[in-house]
Amino acid sequence: NAGVMQNPRHLVRRRGQEARLRCSPMKGHSHVYWYRQLPEEGLKFMVYLQKENIIDESGMPKERFSAEFPKEGPSILRIQQVVRGDSAAYFCASSPLEGFHSPLHFGNGTRLTVT
Amino acid sequence: DQQVKQNSPSLSVQEGRISILNCDYTNSMFDYFLWYKKYPAEGPTFLISISSIKDKNEDGRFTVFLNKSAKHLSLHIVPSQPGDSAVYFCAASAGGANNLFFGTGTRLTVIP
């Protein structure tokens, strides 16, 4: 499967625990974007990364949330001390290049439930 | 601040008829517009796009129209098929960046 791969598909965490969401971009894509979709809402941009660099994290909450895209391995979105309001679907997308318009390709998401 | 708006949360259309989904935006810097289709428990799938230098783009049964002066775009699906039933998201970006701003989606139901 050459598409964007996200795991796990479903993640249940208790309040206060940590959640780690993984994303492997499409082959040949070096740009990764994380989006969050709350119930009955559209997708909201969180963070844009290239390998080893955070380019734009303007949509990510300042506290408890962090993201990385290491030289080797998948991109990780990390949520510390989860709260019920973090329950949402988290989508990762990738693109090949920046500087010209190309559609983002999305994974099937990770649905996080905080109990 | 919702920069991309889809004011119709749902739309029902008879099979074989035309589906028209609408989208408005407020940011005049947007120069690239896309439509995505989303099925439950799946990620959004790219459908069709249009650059601001054009006012129409067509791909098979799907046509996107852009009215820059009105800051409005629409997606036409004709003829509509039951498999088109999904949530459709309008999205926009600016200045060569691929970061997208999404609308809240319109749920299309095509009735056989």
Side-chain angles (χ1 to χ4, degrees), chain A residues 9 33 35 37 40-45 48 56 58 91 95-109 111, chain B residues 1-2 31-32 34 36 38 41-46 49 51 89 93-105 107:
Chain A
R9 289 297 310 272
Y33 305 76
Y35 285 80
Q37 184 182 23
E40 306 304 322
E41 293 189 14
L43 284 79
K44 303 282 190 197
F45 167 74
Y48 160 40
D56 181 354
S58 59
F91 292 97
S95 69
L97 287 173
E98 191 68 11
F100 69 96
H101 289 303
S102 64
L104 299 186
H105 297 266
F106 284 84
N108 283 330
R111 184 164 300 278
Chain B
D1 179 28
Q2 191 71 28
D31 58 2
Y32 185 57
L34 309 89
Y36 281 82
K38 187 180 181 303
E42 293 185 12
T45 301
F46 169 70
S49 64
S51 166
F89 289 97
S93 65
N98 287 323
N99 178 23
L100 298 176
F101 293 84
F102 281 86
T104 51
R107 183 178 301 277

Side-chain angles (χ1 to χ4, degrees), chain A residues 80-94:
Chain A
Q80 295 178 290
Q81 299 174 326
V82 296
V83 300
R84 289 225 171 97
D86 297 333
S87 295
Y90 291 82
F91 292 97
C92 170
S94 71

Side-chain angles (χ1 to χ4, degrees), chain B residues 48-84:
Chain B
I48 192 169
S49 64
I50 187 167
S51 166
S52 59
I53 62 173
K54 301 174 78 173
D55 54 19
K56 177 183 174 181
N57 189 25
E58 191 172 352
D59 183 1
R61 297 186 297 114
F62 302 91
T63 303
V64 56
F65 294 92
L66 175 62
N67 182 333
K68 289 186 289 293
S69 61
K71 293 192 177 68
H72 177 84
L73 65 156
S74 61
L75 175 68
H76 292 209
I77 306 172
V78 55
S80 301
Q81 299 173 354
D84 296 330

